Structure formats: structure tokens, C-alpha cells
Amino acid sequence: MKNYLLLSILCLAGILMSCTQKHTRYRIGVSQCSDDEWRHKMNNEIVREALFYDGVEVEIRTAKDNNRNQIADIKYFIDKKVDLLIVAPNEAAAITPVVEKAYRQGIPVVVIDRKILSDKYTAFVGADNYEIGKDVGQYILNRLHGKGKVLEITGLEGSTPAMERHKGLTDVLKEEPGIEITASVDGAWLQSVAGEKMDSVFQTNKNIDLVFAQNDRMAIGAYLSARQQQLEKEMLFVGIDALPGKEYGVEQIINGVLDATFIYPTGGDKIVQVAMDILEKRPYERDTKLSTALVDKTNARVMQLQTDHITEQDGKIERLNNQVNEYLSRYSAQTMFLYACLIILLLFAALLAIIVRAYWTKNRMNMELSRQKKKLEEQRDQLISLSKQLEEATHAKLVFFTNVSHDFRTPLTLVADPVEQLLEDKALTPRQQSLLKVVHKNVHILLRLVNQILDFRKYENDKLELVRANMNLRVQLQEWSHSFQTLALKKHIHFVLEVNDDRADYLMAVDAEKMERVYFNLLSNAFKFTPENGTITVTLSTLTKEEGGRYARLVVADTGSGISVQHIRHIFDRFYQIDVNHAGSGIGLALAKAFVELHGGEITVDSVEGKGTVFTVDIPMTVVEEPSADLVQEPRITQQTVVEELEDMETEEQIPDENKECILIIDDNADVRDYVKSLLKEEYTVIEAPDGRAGLKKAMKYVPDAIICDVMMPVMDGLECCRKLKTELQTSHIPVMLLTACSLDEQRIQGFECGADSYISKPFNSKLLLVRLRNLMDNHKRLKQFFGDKTTLSKEPVSDVDKGFVDRFRELIEENLADSELSVEDLGSKMGLSRVQLYRKIKALTNYSPNELVRIARLKKAASLLASSEKTISEITYEVGFTSPSYFTKCYKDYFGESPTDFLKRRG
């Protein structure tokens, strides 16, 4: 029901918005240089003409005779991405670069009135200022009858109209020696500036017959200055613009202020017409010249009447336009109201239909719920019964584990003691001592696991008791942490113990053995999941809780892989493991939580996946009245084995010997790596890696002849490692033997699907491992002969990656046979490999070094040329890349058994 209503409301909103939205087809930006009556008239004409085109939006910005303002205005229009730009440049030199920028960005540019110093514009609309200057010059000649003195007041220096009008004037007057231009001053197009300049001129020269100002405003300013000197009747004043209106050019002629003016058309309507021709892809004139005419006392009155009539007609048009807009607004509002009524009716109809449907649905659902309720009650009874059965089964499993654990302790004890006695025998060889130490260490690991199961069983039955004694927790933590210093150094982990207040008294009554196991368990987890160059921080502090009493707070923080939200809620559950790739029983943290709660404390965990984990333990700081005599206990051997189990010795990497085959062992268990290495080190060079990621890096670095890889490992498991090894160019040819405790067929299938060449289950027989590895490597050697014989390539089990690699290598050699300086480094760079990687890859696949293969390819090419061409031996020598004919002859004879000369004689 809610969905139907929401859909209807969205439809209504869409219709209303579509009715009120005004569609804009074109956006036109207008940048005016000045803010005067002539520009106002042009702007009004542009806006009025744009009304005749549907969907045209015009925005006008005025720079007020400031170059910097106009540059900012044009950049504003560029950033706004207008469809067309109209520009009246203030000064040509300053404005030209920004106009060119707009033009280069694909914006059509119409330059009006004034020009720029470039042809990077789309069109120009305006009067011909040079011709106007010539017309003024001709008028002066006629008016002064070829003799007199003229003062010229120009527009803003740097604007093209000022320059062109001046040039047109001077070109006409220079032909008449009787006319003299006594001075030419810059009036900046302004009346006030022109008046000031006239005052300055009158101080030195009052003998002027005619003043020509390049616009009417400056001419009026000159007239007012002359009137102050009472010289206005002794000279004539001529301007340009001929604007109608009060106190403008045409009226000043009628009033006798100006002798004449010339029409300088604004052309706002023509500008918009040219702009629309450009936007709508119609033909247009690139230079549109507007006509001009003389206005004097003979035609000024007629012109004023015409302009008054035109102004009246413009006012009527504007009123009609306002009325049309009003009618359109009314029509839009009425249309919107009609649509709203229709939508409301549809909503009411839909609401009524939904209510009826909901009523019938409710009745049907009630009946269905009644049936489901009966089924749920039956299922609840079944779940209660199953829960009881599950509880009984869990209890039976715990009893079984407990009994088995008790059974394990006796034989383990019988194994541990004889092993310790054997270790004391001085007659043992170093290898025998090494094997016995592995047995001794793993016996104690099994004892620790058995003890954990028994302790957890006692906790489940409420029979686990605390043996409290007063101990200084700070001192004990320092001693326990010392056991992990060597491990931290070997794994390159920054491990630090911090005590917030060294003066605080950390004497408290706890079960030292159980607190030790809690601490070792938390640290062992931190070291397992913290990578090299990570940080583990242990912090000890005191706090007082609201419920009363002082507590010691122990915080173990690491920068490891972290725990996801879905796993962290089960982290203290018994037998729970985050994933199968991390070894463990899943009981350590559950037992740690049990020990902490027995002390009346609390343990919590906070983790961010990919950043690290923080365990916090709070223990009440109570003291027993009779402290135990043995306050400080030595760490037990069962806890020391936790540290030994975590240690992963980073041995100094042995550089593979080219004369011995190289084997890479990837296993997270250091004892397994050491044992396998002891089996192989006499015959092979052995390198090691503690996880799949490190193994992949070493495989790509050293390119071994075979890889023995465990499946269940942290960071990257063996299956993923094998898959990546078989897809990387450097390692795709290397045979991989998976070594794992998983023995199910499904797990073996997964291994072979990842590209594994062999599979051996733990526990394994050492002779079987050696024989299987030897056979695997012997079979792989058959691939080493295929390079020279392409027919064997389809018969041997060569991967697509290796086949593509060899084809690419062969093509590179053939393309560069003539290059005598071709090196292994050059080939490796083109193949994307280092010199060592390329050498070991090629050697493993072909039994030849890259240099040997290049030489063989050159000799075969030379033999082909000797047999099929008439070239000399010297020509062939240099063509196949040899630098010396004598050296070529020696190599040829060594490879083919005869010299090139003997071959040519035999060929005849």
C-alpha cells in the first residue's frame, strides 16, 4: 500500500515540475565595455530581439571601462559554458587573449562595435569606424570650405573605434593643406574628461575653428568648456552617435549646441540575428557592417520625430510581451491545477482499491497465521527435544575428550621421559639430536593441549579451583614477557611492555599459574596474527570501577590482521576457529575467559579488520591475609613451548647454486620445514618461506626447480599460492607438490584444480617424499628439449602461459638477430623479467641459457641463408648478428660439424 502511494506522489511531483520548468535552449553571455546611454540602448535592443526566439536566455555584464573587470566577466561566461559569447572590447590589446581563450574552447564569439587584435572570433557586427572618420573629414572640408584649424578629441586610447576614426579623419584631411589639426587629445569617451582636456587646450590655444569629438558626450563637454571661456560662438562642434532623447545628440543639434553628428548605429537587433544564425547553423556574414548617416539642422527634427515614434512602438511591444507572459502564466497555473485534480482523483481511486485489497489480504493472512501458529508450536516442541539431545551429545563428546585426554597423558609421559634421557646421550650425532629435539618439543605441545582440555572440562563441571597467592603482577609480567623477546627479534616485531604508573602497588592475590596461561595465550595469538615489522604493545594500569574496588587492567594490542565483526562475537566460544588456515584447537581463548572470570574479572576484545586487535583484561586487586611463601614462580615448560611453537626462525637466505637443483619449502610450521630441509639439503639447495605470500615472492625471486607447499597456512593458504604460481609468468613452469593433513578426495581435487602437480598427505614417509619429488622433476625435464623442436610442443603437457612465453621469446630473437649487441638484459626487459629470472626460466624450460639460444638461432638462420641465397659468408655473418667472420666460422663448425666454406663446396 505504501509503495502504491509513494509511486503516485512521485508521478504527481514529476508532472508538476515538468509543467513549471522553463526550457532553455541557448544561453548567451554579453560582455559590455562601458555603461552609458549608447550601451543601454544596445542592451535593450538585444533583450527585446531575444524575446522573438524561444528558449533564449541572455545575461549582460558591464565592465565600466575597466579591462580587469571585463576579463573577469568573460572568464565567468567561459566557466558557465555559455552557448555563445558577445563581446564589446574595452581595449583591444588587453581583451584579445581572453577572447581567443573562449574561441579555442569552442564557444562562438561575436565581437561588436569594437574589434580585437586577432581574427580568432566567429563574427563581427558594427559600423565601419574608418568610413565614419572619412565622412567626418569630408564634412569638415565642406563646412570650413577647405581652410581652418581643427581640434580632435579621441576616445579611449587602445580602443579600435578611436584608432580607426582618427585614421579615417587624417587620411581625408591630409589631402587638403588648408585644414590643420592643431591638437588631438584623449577624452576617454567621457564628457567630464573631454571638458578638462578642452580647458587645458584653451590655456595655450584659443584659435580653433571646429572641434571634432569622437562621440556626442565629449562634444557636449567641449562645448560647455568653450562656453565658460565665451568662445562657443567662435567655433563649431561635431560629434558621433546621434542618439535620440533628452539632452542627447539629436536634441543638442536642434538646440544649437552641436553643429552636426553622425549616426553610429547600436544594432542590438542585428547582433541577436547573427548570433541565432550561428547557433542554429544557418549561413551568416562574418563581418556585418552597419550603415551611418549625417545628422544636422536640416534633418534633426525629422529624425527626432521618427525616433519618438519608434520609442512609442517599442513601449507598446513591451507591454504586449508582458501581457503574453501573464496569459502564459495563467495558462500554466490552470494546466497545473487540472493535472493536480486528475492525480488526486487517481490517488483516491488507487487508495480505495488498496484498502479493499488490504481488507481481503488481512482476512487471508489471519487464517494463514492460525495454521502457521499450530505448525510453530509443533516445531518448538521438536526444537526443545533436539536441544536436549544436542546437549546430551555435547556432554558425551566432552566426556569422550576428557577420557581420551587422560589416556593421552600416560603414553605422552612415557614418550617424554625417554626422549629427555636420550637427549642427554653424548654419543648422538647432530642429526639424531635435532630429530629428538623435534620429538621433545611436540610432546610438550601435546601435553599442553591435553591439559587445556582437562582444565576446560573441570570448568564446565564447576570443579576448577583457584590457588590464590599474593604476587606482584608487574614483576611477573616483566618475567613472562622476557620469554617473547627472542621471538619478537626473529619475527622483526616491535614488542613493548608499558606500566602507566611505576610507583603503583600491583601486589594482588591471583592464581599465578592460571594468570600466566592467560597472558601467554593472549600474546601467542598476537604473535600469530601480527606480520613482520608490526607492533605488539602490553599495557598495565590501575582503575577504580563504579561498583567499587580497584582493578588491574591488562591490555594486549597488536597491529595484525584484525577480526571481522561476524567472527568477533564468537571469539570466546569453545572450539571456535576463525578459519581453517590457522592451526589451533579453538579452546585457548575460551579457557582464558574462564580463568579471568574465576578471578572475578572480565575480558573483552575490540578489533578492526586489517588494522589490529585489542584484548582487555580487568582483575580485582585483592590481597590474601597469609601470603604464600612461593610468590614468584618460574615459567613452566608447558608455557615455554607456546613460545617455541610460535618461533619462526628467519634463516639467512641461501643463494641457489646453479650446479644444484633448487627446492622451495613453504610451510608455517618451522619444525616441518626443518625436517624436510634435513631430508633434501644433501642433494638440493633449499630455501624456505613461512606462508604462501612469502613463498610466492621467493618463488618469483629465485625461480626454484620445484616447490613443496603446505595447504593450511596463515596469510595465504597453499591452494591460493599454487593458483598464483601457475598463473605468473616467472613461475608457471615450476612443478608444485602439495603437502597436507587433508586426505579427502574433494580436497585433493581442489589441489589439482589449482594446478598442483603432486599431492602427499601427512604424516608422510620420507622415502616416498624423496622418490615422488625426484620423479616429478625428472618428468618435468622432458620439456627442456621442445624449444628447438616445435613438433614436441603439442605433445608435451606445456601450460598455455609457458607456450606463450616461449613463442614470445622466439619472436624477440628472430626480430633482433641482426643486433650484435643484443643482451640477456635487453631480452629480459622486453619480456618483463630480470636477468636472473629470465635465465632460470629459460634454463628450466630448455636446458639452455638465453645466450646459447640466441647463438643457436643465429647459426640456424645462417645455415638457411647459406643454402638458399648467393650471399657471401661475410655478408651472412653480419646479417645474423656476428661481429667477426672468424668467430662465426668457429661457432658454425662447433655446432654443425663443418665450416661454412665446406658446406658451400659440398652444395656445389
Side-chain angles (χ1 to χ4, degrees), residues 122-241:
T122 309
F124 171 79
V125 178
D128 191 331
N129 285 287
Y130 176 76
E131 290 297 328
I132 290 177
K134 291 179 64 175
D135 291 345
V136 172
Q138 192 63 47
Y139 175 79
I140 291 173
L141 289 177
N142 296 335
R143 192 73 173 84
L144 297 180
H145 305 292
K147 184 177 181 180
K149 295 184 178 181
V150 177
L151 170 66
E152 180 187 20
I153 304 177
T154 66
L156 183 67
E157 182 181 1
S159 63
T160 56
M163 294 185 289
E164 292 175 355
R165 292 174 185 179
H166 173 75
K167 188 174 188 315
L169 175 70
T170 55
D171 286 351
V172 172
L173 295 183
K174 70 182 179 181
E175 301 295 333
E176 187 63 44
I179 301 296
E180 177 187 356
I181 300 178
T182 60
S184 180
V185 297
D186 184 357
W189 303 112
L190 300 176
Q191 179 176 318
S192 59
V193 176
E196 294 173 358
K197 294 296 179 69
M198 281 295 294
D199 292 341
S200 300
V201 171
F202 285 147
Q203 292 178 3
T204 58
N205 184 12
K206 296 183 180 180
N207 188 19
I208 299 173
D209 297 307
L210 185 144
V211 176
F212 164 56
Q214 291 190 353
N215 69 3
D216 291 343
R217 283 188 297 170
M218 293 190 295
I220 294 169
Y223 173 83
L224 294 177
S225 177
R227 190 170 66 178
Q228 288 180 355
Q229 301 287 331
Q230 297 181 353
L231 299 172
E232 75 276 12
K233 294 182 180 180
E234 298 180 7
M235 57 188 72
L236 303 175
F237 297 90
V238 178
I240 295 176
D241 278 347

